[in-house]
Coordinates of all heavy atoms in Angstrom, one line a residue:
R1 N -37.8 -11.0 0.0 CA -37.0 -10.0 0.5 C -35.6 -10.5 0.6 O -35.3 -11.5 1.1 CB -37.4 -9.5 1.9 CG -36.6 -8.4 2.4 CD -37.1 -7.9 3.7 NE -36.1 -7.0 4.2 CZ -36.2 -6.6 5.5 NH1 -37.1 -6.8 6.3 NH2 -35.3 -5.7 5.9
R2 N -34.6 -9.9 -0.1 CA -33.3 -10.2 0.0 C -32.3 -9.3 0.9 O -32.6 -8.1 0.9 CB -32.6 -10.2 -1.3 CG -33.2 -11.3 -2.3 CD -32.6 -11.2 -3.7 NE -31.3 -10.7 -3.9 CZ -30.8 -10.4 -4.9 NH1 -31.4 -10.6 -6.0 NH2 -29.6 -9.8 -5.1
V3 N -31.6 -9.9 1.7 CA -30.7 -9.2 2.5 C -29.3 -9.5 2.0 O -28.9 -10.6 2.0 CB -30.8 -9.5 4.0 CG1 -29.8 -8.8 4.9 CG2 -32.2 -9.2 4.5
L4 N -28.6 -8.5 1.7 CA -27.2 -8.6 1.2 C -26.1 -8.2 2.2 O -26.4 -7.2 2.9 CB -26.9 -7.9 -0.1 CG -27.8 -8.1 -1.4 CD1 -27.4 -7.2 -2.4 CD2 -27.5 -9.6 -1.7
F5 N -25.1 -9.1 2.5 CA -24.1 -8.8 3.4 C -22.9 -8.5 2.7 O -22.5 -9.2 1.8 CB -23.9 -9.8 4.5 CG -25.1 -9.9 5.4 CD1 -26.0 -10.8 5.2 CD2 -25.1 -9.2 6.6 CE1 -27.1 -11.0 6.0 CE2 -26.1 -9.2 7.4 CZ -27.2 -10.2 7.2
R6 N -22.2 -7.5 2.9 CA -20.9 -7.2 2.2 C -19.8 -7.0 3.2 O -20.0 -6.2 4.2 CB -21.2 -5.9 1.4 CG -19.9 -5.6 0.5 CD -20.2 -4.4 -0.2 NE -19.0 -3.9 -1.0 CZ -18.9 -3.0 -1.7 NH1 -20.0 -2.3 -2.0 NH2 -17.7 -2.7 -2.4
S7 N -18.9 -7.9 3.1 CA -17.7 -7.6 4.0 C -16.8 -6.5 3.7 O -16.6 -6.3 2.5 CB -16.9 -8.9 4.2 OG -16.3 -9.2 2.9
V8 N -16.4 -5.8 4.7 CA -15.5 -4.7 4.5 C -14.1 -5.0 4.9 O -14.0 -5.1 6.1 CB -16.1 -3.4 5.0 CG1 -15.1 -2.2 4.8 CG2 -17.4 -3.1 4.6
L9 N -13.2 -4.9 4.0 CA -11.8 -5.2 4.4 C -11.2 -3.9 5.0 O -11.4 -2.8 4.5 CB -11.0 -5.7 3.2 CG -11.4 -7.1 2.6 CD1 -10.7 -7.3 1.4 CD2 -11.1 -8.1 3.6
P10 N -10.2 -4.1 6.0 CA -9.6 -2.9 6.5 C -8.7 -2.3 5.4 O -8.2 -3.1 4.7 CB -8.8 -3.5 7.7 CG -8.7 -4.9 7.6 CD -10.0 -5.4 6.7
L11 N -8.5 -1.0 5.5 CA -7.7 -0.3 4.6 C -6.2 -0.6 5.0 O -5.9 -0.8 6.2 CB -7.9 1.1 4.6 CG -9.2 1.6 4.1 CD1 -9.4 3.1 4.4 CD2 -9.4 1.3 2.7
P12 N -5.3 -0.7 4.0 CA -3.9 -0.8 4.3 C -3.5 0.3 5.2 O -4.0 1.5 5.0 CB -3.2 -0.8 3.0 CG -4.2 -1.2 2.0 CD -5.6 -0.7 2.5
N13 N -2.6 0.1 6.2 CA -2.1 1.1 7.0 C -0.6 1.3 7.0 O 0.1 0.3 7.5 CB -2.6 0.9 8.4 CG -2.2 1.9 9.4 OD1 -2.4 3.1 9.1 ND2 -1.8 1.5 10.6
I14 N 0.0 2.3 6.5 CA 1.4 2.5 6.6 C 1.9 2.7 8.0 O 1.4 3.5 8.7 CB 1.9 3.7 5.7 CG1 1.6 3.4 4.2 CG2 3.3 4.0 5.8 CD1 1.8 4.5 3.3
T15 N 2.8 1.8 8.4 CA 3.3 1.9 9.7 C 4.7 2.6 9.8 O 5.1 3.1 10.9 CB 3.4 0.5 10.5 OG1 4.2 -0.4 9.6 CG2 2.1 -0.1 10.6
S16 N 5.5 2.5 8.7 CA 6.8 3.2 8.8 C 7.4 3.3 7.4 O 7.0 2.5 6.5 CB 7.8 2.6 9.7 OG 8.2 1.2 9.1
I17 N 8.2 4.2 7.2 CA 9.0 4.5 6.0 C 10.4 4.7 6.2 O 10.7 5.5 7.2 CB 8.3 5.7 5.1 CG1 6.9 5.4 4.8 CG2 9.1 5.8 3.8 CD1 6.2 6.6 4.2
S18 N 11.2 4.0 5.5 CA 12.7 4.3 5.7 C 13.4 4.5 4.4 O 12.9 3.8 3.4 CB 13.4 3.2 6.5 OG 13.3 1.9 5.9
R19 N 14.5 5.2 4.4 CA 15.2 5.4 3.2 C 16.8 5.1 3.4 O 17.3 5.7 4.3 CB 15.1 6.6 2.6 CG 15.9 7.0 1.3 CD 15.5 8.3 0.6 NE 16.1 8.5 -0.6 CZ 15.9 9.4 -1.5 NH1 14.8 10.1 -1.3 NH2 16.6 9.4 -2.6
T20 N 17.3 4.3 2.7 CA 18.8 4.0 2.7 C 19.3 4.3 1.4 O 19.0 3.5 0.4 CB 19.1 2.7 3.2 OG1 18.4 2.4 4.5 CG2 20.6 2.5 3.4
G21 N 20.1 5.3 1.1 CA 20.6 5.7 -0.1 C 19.4 6.0 -1.1 O 18.5 6.9 -0.8
N22 N 19.3 5.3 -2.2 CA 18.2 5.4 -3.2 C 17.1 4.4 -3.0 O 16.2 4.2 -3.8 CB 18.7 5.4 -4.6 CG 19.4 6.7 -5.0 OD1 19.2 7.7 -4.3 ND2 20.2 6.6 -6.1
N23 N 17.2 3.6 -1.8 CA 16.1 2.6 -1.6 C 15.2 3.0 -0.6 O 15.6 3.4 0.6 CB 16.8 1.3 -1.2 CG 17.6 0.7 -2.3 OD1 17.2 0.6 -3.4 ND2 18.9 0.2 -2.0
V24 N 13.9 2.9 -0.9 CA 12.8 3.3 0.1 C 12.1 2.1 0.4 O 11.7 1.2 -0.5 CB 11.9 4.3 -0.5 CG1 10.7 4.6 0.4 CG2 12.7 5.5 -0.7
T25 N 11.9 1.7 1.7 CA 11.0 0.7 2.2 C 9.8 1.2 2.9 O 10.0 2.0 3.9 CB 11.8 -0.3 3.1 OG1 12.9 -0.8 2.3 CG2 10.9 -1.5 3.5
V26 N 8.5 0.9 2.5 CA 7.4 1.3 3.2 C 6.9 0.1 3.8 O 6.5 -0.9 3.2 CB 6.4 1.8 2.2 CG1 5.0 2.3 2.8 CG2 7.1 3.0 1.5
H27 N 6.7 0.0 5.2 CA 6.1 -1.1 5.9 C 4.6 -0.8 6.2 O 4.3 0.4 6.4 CB 6.8 -1.2 7.3 CG 8.2 -1.7 7.1 ND1 8.5 -3.1 7.1 CD2 9.3 -1.0 6.9 CE1 9.9 -3.1 7.0 NE2 10.3 -2.0 6.9
F28 N 3.7 -1.7 6.0 CA 2.4 -1.5 6.2 C 1.6 -2.7 6.6 O 2.2 -3.8 6.4 CB 1.7 -0.9 4.9 CG 1.7 -1.8 3.7 CD1 0.6 -2.6 3.3 CD2 2.8 -1.8 2.9 CE1 0.6 -3.4 2.3 CE2 2.8 -2.7 1.7 CZ 1.7 -3.5 1.5
T29 N 0.5 -2.6 7.2 CA -0.4 -3.7 7.5 C -1.6 -3.8 6.6 O -2.0 -2.7 6.1 CB -0.8 -3.6 9.0 OG1 -1.6 -2.3 9.2 CG2 0.4 -3.6 9.9
G30 N -2.3 -5.0 6.5 CA -3.4 -5.2 5.9 C -4.1 -6.4 6.2 O -3.6 -7.1 7.2
P31 N -5.1 -6.9 5.6 CA -5.8 -8.1 6.0 C -4.9 -9.3 6.1 O -4.0 -9.3 5.0 CB -7.0 -8.3 5.0 CG -7.2 -6.8 4.5 CD -5.8 -6.1 4.4
T32 N -5.0 -10.2 7.0 CA -4.1 -11.3 7.0 C -4.2 -12.3 5.9 O -3.3 -13.1 5.6 CB -4.3 -12.1 8.4 OG1 -5.7 -12.4 8.5 CG2 -3.9 -11.2 9.6
S33 N -5.4 -12.3 5.3 CA -5.6 -13.2 4.1 C -5.1 -12.8 2.8 O -5.2 -13.5 1.9 CB -7.1 -13.5 4.2 OG -7.8 -12.4 3.9
D34 N -4.7 -11.5 2.8 CA -4.3 -10.9 1.4 C -2.9 -11.2 1.1 O -2.0 -11.2 1.9 CB -4.4 -9.4 1.5 CG -5.8 -8.8 1.2 OD1 -6.7 -9.7 1.0 OD2 -6.0 -7.7 1.3
P35 N -2.6 -11.7 -0.2 CA -1.3 -11.9 -0.7 C -0.6 -10.5 -1.1 O -1.4 -9.5 -1.2 CB -1.5 -12.8 -1.9 CG -2.9 -12.3 -2.5 CD -3.7 -12.0 -1.2
P36 N 0.6 -10.4 -1.1 CA 1.3 -9.2 -1.5 C 0.8 -8.6 -2.8 O 0.7 -7.3 -3.0 CB 2.8 -9.6 -1.6 CG 2.9 -10.7 -0.7 CD 1.7 -11.5 -0.8
S37 N 0.4 -9.5 -3.7 CA -0.1 -9.0 -5.0 C -1.5 -8.2 -4.8 O -2.0 -7.7 -5.9 CB -0.3 -10.2 -6.0 OG -1.2 -11.1 -5.5
A38 N -2.1 -8.2 -3.7 CA -3.3 -7.5 -3.5 C -3.1 -6.0 -3.4 O -4.1 -5.2 -3.3 CB -4.0 -8.1 -2.4
F39 N -1.9 -5.6 -3.3 CA -1.5 -4.2 -3.0 C -0.7 -3.5 -4.0 O 0.1 -4.2 -4.7 CB -0.8 -4.0 -1.7 CG -1.5 -4.7 -0.5 CD1 -1.1 -5.9 -0.1 CD2 -2.6 -4.1 0.0 CE1 -1.8 -6.6 1.0 CE2 -3.3 -4.7 1.1 CZ -2.9 -5.9 1.6
V40 N -0.8 -2.2 -4.2 CA 0.0 -1.3 -5.1 C 0.5 -0.1 -4.3 O -0.4 0.4 -3.6 CB -0.8 -0.9 -6.3 CG1 0.0 0.0 -7.1 CG2 -1.2 -2.1 -7.2
L41 N 1.7 0.2 -4.3 CA 2.2 1.4 -3.7 C 2.2 2.5 -4.8 O 2.7 2.5 -5.8 CB 3.7 1.2 -3.3 CG 4.3 2.4 -2.6 CD1 3.6 2.7 -1.2 CD2 5.8 2.2 -2.5
M42 N 1.5 3.5 -4.3 CA 1.3 4.8 -5.1 C 2.2 5.8 -4.7 O 2.4 5.9 -3.4 CB -0.2 5.2 -5.0 CG -1.2 4.2 -5.5 SD -1.0 3.4 -7.1 CE -1.6 4.9 -8.1
S43 N 2.6 6.7 -5.5 CA 3.5 7.9 -5.1 C 3.1 9.2 -5.8 O 2.5 9.1 -6.9 CB 5.1 7.6 -5.3 OG 5.2 7.4 -6.7
G44 N 3.6 10.2 -5.3 CA 3.4 11.6 -5.9 C 4.2 12.6 -5.2 O 4.6 12.4 -4.1
A45 N 4.5 13.7 -5.9 CA 5.4 14.8 -5.3 C 4.5 15.6 -4.4 O 5.1 16.4 -3.7 CB 6.0 15.6 -6.5
V46 N 3.3 15.7 -4.5 CA 2.5 16.4 -3.7 C 1.3 15.5 -3.1 O 0.9 14.5 -3.7 CB 1.8 17.6 -4.3 CG1 2.9 18.7 -4.6 CG2 1.0 17.1 -5.4
V47 N 0.8 15.8 -1.8 CA -0.2 14.9 -1.2 C -1.4 14.7 -2.1 O -1.9 13.7 -2.2 CB -0.5 15.5 0.2 CG1 -1.7 14.8 0.7 CG2 0.6 15.4 1.2
A48 N -1.9 15.7 -2.7 CA -3.0 15.7 -3.5 C -2.8 15.0 -4.9 O -3.7 14.7 -5.6 CB -3.7 17.2 -3.8
G49 N -1.5 14.6 -5.1 CA -1.2 14.0 -6.4 C -0.6 12.6 -6.4 O 0.3 12.3 -7.1
I50 N -1.0 11.8 -5.4 CA -0.5 10.5 -5.2 C -1.2 9.6 -6.1 O -2.1 8.9 -5.8 CB -0.6 10.0 -3.8 CG1 0.0 11.1 -2.7 CG2 0.0 8.6 -3.6 CD1 -0.1 10.7 -1.3
T51 N -0.8 9.6 -7.4 CA -1.6 9.0 -8.4 C -0.7 8.0 -9.3 O -1.2 7.3 -10.1 CB -2.2 9.9 -9.4 OG1 -1.1 10.8 -10.0 CG2 -3.2 10.8 -8.7
N52 N 0.6 7.9 -9.0 CA 1.5 7.2 -9.9 C 1.8 5.8 -9.2 O 2.1 5.8 -7.9 CB 2.9 7.9 -10.0 CG 2.7 9.2 -10.7 OD1 1.9 9.4 -11.6 ND2 3.4 10.2 -10.2
N53 N 1.7 4.8 -10.0 CA 2.2 3.5 -9.4 C 3.6 3.5 -9.2 O 4.4 3.8 -10.3 CB 1.8 2.4 -10.5 CG 2.2 1.0 -9.9 OD1 3.2 0.8 -9.2 ND2 1.5 0.0 -10.4
A54 N 4.2 3.3 -8.1 CA 5.6 3.5 -7.8 C 6.5 2.5 -8.3 O 7.7 2.5 -8.4 CB 5.8 3.7 -6.2
G55 N 5.9 1.3 -8.8 CA 6.5 0.2 -9.3 C 7.4 -0.6 -8.2 O 8.4 -1.1 -8.5
A56 N 6.9 -0.6 -7.0 CA 7.5 -1.2 -5.8 C 7.4 -2.8 -5.9 O 6.3 -3.3 -6.5 CB 7.0 -0.6 -4.6
T57 N 8.3 -3.4 -5.3 CA 8.2 -4.8 -5.1 C 7.6 -5.0 -3.8 O 8.1 -4.6 -2.7 CB 9.6 -5.6 -5.1 OG1 10.2 -5.3 -6.4 CG2 9.5 -7.0 -4.8
I58 N 6.5 -5.7 -3.7 CA 5.7 -5.9 -2.3 C 5.9 -7.3 -2.0 O 5.6 -8.2 -2.6 CB 4.2 -5.5 -2.5 CG1 4.2 -4.0 -2.9 CG2 3.6 -5.7 -1.3 CD1 2.9 -3.4 -3.1
T59 N 6.4 -7.5 -0.6 CA 6.5 -8.7 0.0 C 5.8 -8.8 1.3 O 5.4 -7.7 1.8 CB 8.0 -9.2 0.1 OG1 8.5 -8.2 0.9 CG2 8.7 -9.2 -1.3
G60 N 5.7 -10.0 1.9 CA 5.2 -10.2 3.2 C 4.0 -11.1 3.3 O 3.6 -11.5 2.2
S61 N 3.4 -11.3 4.5 CA 2.2 -12.2 4.6 C 1.7 -11.9 6.0 O 2.2 -11.3 6.8 CB 2.6 -13.6 4.4 OG 3.6 -14.0 5.4
G62 N 0.5 -12.6 6.3 CA 0.0 -12.6 7.5 C -0.3 -11.2 8.1 O -0.4 -11.0 9.3
G63 N -0.6 -10.2 7.2 CA -1.0 -9.0 7.6 C 0.0 -7.9 7.7 O -0.1 -6.8 8.0
S64 N 1.4 -8.4 7.6 CA 2.5 -7.5 7.7 C 3.3 -7.5 6.3 O 3.7 -8.7 5.9 CB 3.5 -8.0 8.8 OG 4.6 -7.1 8.9
Y65 N 3.4 -6.4 5.7 CA 3.9 -6.3 4.3 C 4.9 -5.1 4.2 O 5.0 -4.2 5.1 CB 2.8 -5.9 3.3 CG 1.6 -7.0 3.4 CD1 0.5 -6.8 4.2 CD2 1.8 -8.2 2.8 CE1 -0.5 -7.7 4.3 CE2 0.6 -9.1 2.8 CZ -0.4 -8.8 3.6 OH -1.4 -9.8 3.7
Q66 N 5.7 -5.1 3.2 CA 6.6 -4.1 2.9 C 6.8 -3.9 1.5 O 6.8 -5.0 0.6 CB 8.0 -4.4 3.6 CG 8.7 -5.6 3.3 CD 8.2 -6.8 4.1 OE1 7.7 -6.6 5.2 NE2 8.5 -8.0 3.8
A67 N 6.9 -2.6 1.0 CA 6.9 -2.3 -0.4 C 8.4 -1.6 -0.5 O 8.8 -0.8 0.3 CB 5.9 -1.3 -0.8
T68 N 9.2 -2.2 -1.5 CA 10.6 -1.7 -1.7 C 10.7 -1.1 -3.1 O 10.4 -1.7 -4.0 CB 11.7 -2.8 -1.4 OG1 11.4 -3.4 -0.1 CG2 13.0 -2.2 -1.5
L69 N 11.3 0.1 -3.1 CA 11.6 0.5 -4.5 C 12.9 1.4 -4.4 O 13.3 1.8 -3.4 CB 10.4 1.5 -5.0 CG 10.2 2.7 -4.1 CD1 9.6 3.8 -5.0 CD2 9.2 2.6 -3.0
S70 N 13.3 1.6 -5.6 CA 14.5 2.5 -5.7 C 14.0 3.8 -6.4 O 13.2 3.9 -7.3 CB 15.5 1.8 -6.7 OG 16.6 2.6 -7.0
T71 N 14.4 5.0 -5.7 CA 13.9 6.2 -6.2 C 15.2 7.3 -6.0 O 16.0 7.1 -5.1 CB 12.8 6.7 -5.5 OG1 12.4 7.9 -6.1 CG2 13.0 6.8 -4.0
S72 N 15.2 8.2 -6.9 CA 16.2 9.3 -6.7 C 15.5 10.6 -6.5 O 16.1 11.6 -6.3 CB 17.1 9.5 -8.0 OG 16.3 9.8 -9.1
A73 N 14.2 10.5 -6.3 CA 13.3 11.6 -6.0 C 13.7 12.1 -4.5 O 13.9 11.4 -3.7 CB 11.9 11.5 -6.1
S74 N 13.8 13.6 -4.4 CA 14.1 14.1 -3.1 C 13.0 14.0 -2.2 O 13.2 13.7 -1.0 CB 14.6 15.5 -3.2 OG 13.5 16.3 -3.8
A75 N 11.7 14.1 -2.5 CA 10.7 14.0 -1.6 C 9.4 13.4 -2.3 O 9.2 13.7 -3.5 CB 10.2 15.4 -1.1
Q76 N 8.8 12.5 -1.7 CA 7.7 11.8 -2.3 C 6.6 11.5 -1.2 O 7.0 11.3 0.0 CB 8.0 10.4 -2.9 CG 8.7 10.5 -4.2 CD 8.0 11.0 -5.4 OE1 7.1 10.3 -5.7 NE2 8.3 12.1 -5.9
F77 N 5.4 11.4 -1.6 CA 4.3 11.0 -0.7 C 3.9 9.7 -1.2 O 3.9 9.4 -2.3 CB 3.2 12.0 -0.7 CG 3.5 13.3 -0.1 CD1 4.2 14.3 -0.9 CD2 3.4 13.6 1.3 CE1 4.6 15.5 -0.4 CE2 3.9 14.8 1.7 CZ 4.3 15.8 0.9
Y78 N 3.5 8.8 -0.2 CA 3.1 7.4 -0.6 C 1.8 7.0 0.0 O 1.3 7.5 1.0 CB 4.1 6.4 -0.1 CG 5.5 6.5 -0.8 CD1 6.5 7.2 -0.1 CD2 5.8 6.0 -2.0 CE1 7.8 7.3 -0.6 CE2 6.9 6.3 -2.5 CZ 8.0 6.9 -1.9 OH 9.2 7.1 -2.4
R79 N 1.0 6.2 -0.6 CA -0.1 5.5 -0.1 C -0.3 4.1 -0.6 O 0.4 3.8 -1.7 CB -1.5 6.3 -0.4 CG -1.9 6.3 -1.8 CD -3.3 7.1 -1.9 NE -3.6 7.0 -3.3 CZ -4.7 6.3 -3.7 NH1 -5.3 5.5 -3.0 NH2 -5.0 6.4 -5.0
V80 N -0.8 3.2 0.0 CA -1.0 1.8 -0.4 C -2.5 1.5 -0.8 O -3.3 2.0 0.0 CB -0.5 0.9 0.7 CG1 -0.8 -0.7 0.2 CG2 0.9 1.0 1.0
K81 N -2.7 1.0 -1.9 CA -4.1 0.6 -2.3 C -4.2 -0.7 -2.9 O -3.2 -1.3 -3.2 CB -4.7 1.8 -3.2 CG -4.1 1.7 -4.6 CD -4.9 2.6 -5.6 CE -4.8 2.1 -7.0 NZ -5.7 2.7 -7.8
R82 N -5.4 -1.2 -3.0 CA -5.6 -2.4 -3.8 C -6.0 -2.0 -5.2 O -6.6 -1.0 -5.4 CB -7.0 -3.0 -3.1 CG -6.7 -3.7 -1.8 CD -7.8 -4.5 -1.3 NE -7.6 -5.0 -0.1 CZ -7.7 -4.5 1.1 NH1 -8.2 -3.2 1.1 NH2 -7.6 -5.0 2.3
P83 N -5.4 -2.7 -6.1 CA -5.7 -2.4 -7.5 C -7.2 -2.5 -7.9 O -7.9 -3.0 -7.3 CB -4.8 -3.4 -8.3 CG -4.2 -4.2 -7.3 CD -4.6 -3.8 -6.0

C-alpha cells in the first residue's frame, strides 16, 4: 500500500494595486520560498476574461512581491498565477 502526500502551496494573494500615470504596481503575497519567476501577472478587460499575460516585471522575495507594468488601458482586472 502506498500513501502519497502532496503539499499544497498557498495561492498568490493580491494585497493592493496602485497606478501612477501609465505605471501600475500590483503588490501580492505568496509562498516565502518562491522566487519572483514563479509568478505571472494576468490581465483582462473583464473579470471573466483575465487570460492575457500582462508582461509585468515581478520582483520581491520572502513572500512579498510586486508586479510592475506600463499600461494605457483605462480599466483592467488582474490576477497572479504560477505558470
Side-chain angles (χ1 to χ4, degrees):
R1 179 176 175 192
R2 289 179 25 189
V3 177
L4 298 176
F5 291 96
R6 184 175 174 181
S7 63
V8 177
L9 295 174
L11 294 173
N13 180 46
I14 293 176
T15 57
S16 68
I17 300 174
S18 62
R19 182 173 182 165
T20 304
N22 284 342
N23 294 316
V24 174
T25 302
V26 178
H27 294 269
F28 64 97
T29 59
T32 58
S33 60
D34 280 356
S37 60
F39 305 102
V40 174
L41 182 69
M42 306 298 289
S43 66
V46 295
V47 171
I50 304 176
T51 59
N52 302 317
N53 182 332
T57 299
I58 300 178
T59 58
S61 64
S64 181
Y65 306 91
Q66 53 276 340
T68 305
L69 68 147
S70 179
T71 182
S72 58
S74 58
Q76 289 287 297
F77 294 90
Y78 297 102
R79 72 180 176 103
V80 178
K81 73 170 205 165
R82 287 186 181 83

